[in-house]
Amino acid sequence: MDNNTPQNSQFKRHTFVLKAFKNSQLIKYPKLTELYFNPTSHIYLDPRAFTKLCQGLKTLKSLNVLYLNFSYTKELDDKSLKELSLALRQMHGLTVLSLNFKQNAKISGKGIARIIKTVKKNRFLTELYLDFSGCGRVSEDHLESIYDSISTMKLLTNFHINHFEIPMRGPDEEEFAHSLAKLRRLNYMRDLSMNFDIPQAIFPKDLTALSSSLRRMRRLCKIDINFNGSNSLSQE
């Protein structure tokens, strides 16, 4: 997901956001339309500082584009995502959203499901980039909730996801296949990338459901589906 962040003027934006991050100065820029936060990975992040950032984000009601990279910060949890969800509720005009919380083990399926439910309420969103790889466990119920939410974002043209860990399942369980089948509702999809590059339970019926959805996406121009690392595709 790091590659999705625009590089032009990155240093200027980075500097601005770090000052805002430390001093809660975002409130001074209510007409800001684009915000990129891409600090150096592996930083220590005090959850209290994250709370201040979210408080500032609530004032950015004119924001159209938001990139947040909190990969490897390790201290964020479901409560942090709840605070971010409250901020995202104020951004009614978002068209592009990128959330990178890679390798934050304290974040679970509950937190991911909550924030995706908030994101789905934005009716102008066309591009969504998510990276929750290396986060905590996701239950079947949370998995279903996440994909239910994503499947309602009918204006999406670009959707990239580096996946969280899918719960180990038996070959007769079909919840995940049903979730993948719901992606057929995304009729405007042009660029789809799904990375499942970790050992997990992916069965042929899951691929069948995904293939069925892809056939319904008539506008697709680019597809990148990575199931490397799946340890159960050869078992049926």
Side-chain angles (χ1 to χ4, degrees), residues 91-123:
M91 303 174 191
H92 304 296
L94 273 183
T95 58
V96 179
L97 176 62
S98 176
L99 301 175
N100 187 342
F101 288 92
K102 182 177 183 179
Q103 295 297 331
N104 281 271
K106 295 182 180 180
I107 291 176
S108 73
K110 180 180 179 180
I112 299 171
R114 177 188 290 117
I115 202 165
I116 301 302
K117 280 185 177 180
T118 298
V119 171
K120 78 173 184 179
K121 297 176 182 177
N122 192 308
R123 53 197 180 95

Side-chain angles (χ1 to χ4, degrees), residues 5-61:
T5 305
Q7 297 301 313
N8 56 319
S9 302
Q10 183 178 359
F11 179 76
K12 181 178 179 181
R13 288 166 176 161
H14 184 188
T15 302
F16 164 77
V17 177
L18 280 179
K19 289 180 178 178
F21 180 66
K22 292 179 179 178
N23 303 320
S24 298
Q25 297 298 308
L26 287 176
I27 194 172
K28 294 183 178 180
Y29 303 93
K31 296 184 179 180
L32 198 67
T33 60
E34 297 187 15
L35 179 60
Y36 302 87
F37 181 57
N38 188 26
T40 304
S41 294
H42 300 86
I43 64 170
Y44 170 77
L45 181 63
D46 188 329
R48 293 172 296 181
F50 184 83
T51 297
K52 289 183 178 180
L53 175 64
C54 290
Q55 291 171 350
L57 288 173
K58 289 180 182 179
T59 67
L60 304 182
K61 298 182 180 181

Side-chain angles (χ1 to χ4, degrees), residues 109 112 130-138 142-143 146-147 150 161-167 176 195-196 198 200:
I112 299 171
L130 302 173
D131 192 341
F132 288 102
S133 56
C135 289
R137 303 287 289 183
V138 178
H142 293 143
L143 183 65
I146 289 165
Y147 273 89
I150 292 171
I161 182 168
N162 279 348
H163 232 286
F164 37 81
E165 185 172 352
I166 295 175
F176 186 52
N195 182 10
F196 300 87
I198 52 177
Q200 55 192 325

Side-chain angles (χ1 to χ4, degrees), residues 9 17 25 33 42 44 63 68 78 82 86 91-92 124 138 177 180 194 206 230 234:
S9 302
V17 177
Q25 297 298 308
T33 60
H42 300 86
Y44 170 77
L63 213 59
L68 296 176
D78 290 346
K82 182 178 181 179
L86 294 174
M91 303 174 191
H92 304 296
F124 298 107
V138 178
L180 292 174
M194 304 177 74
D206 301 323
S230 293
S234 62

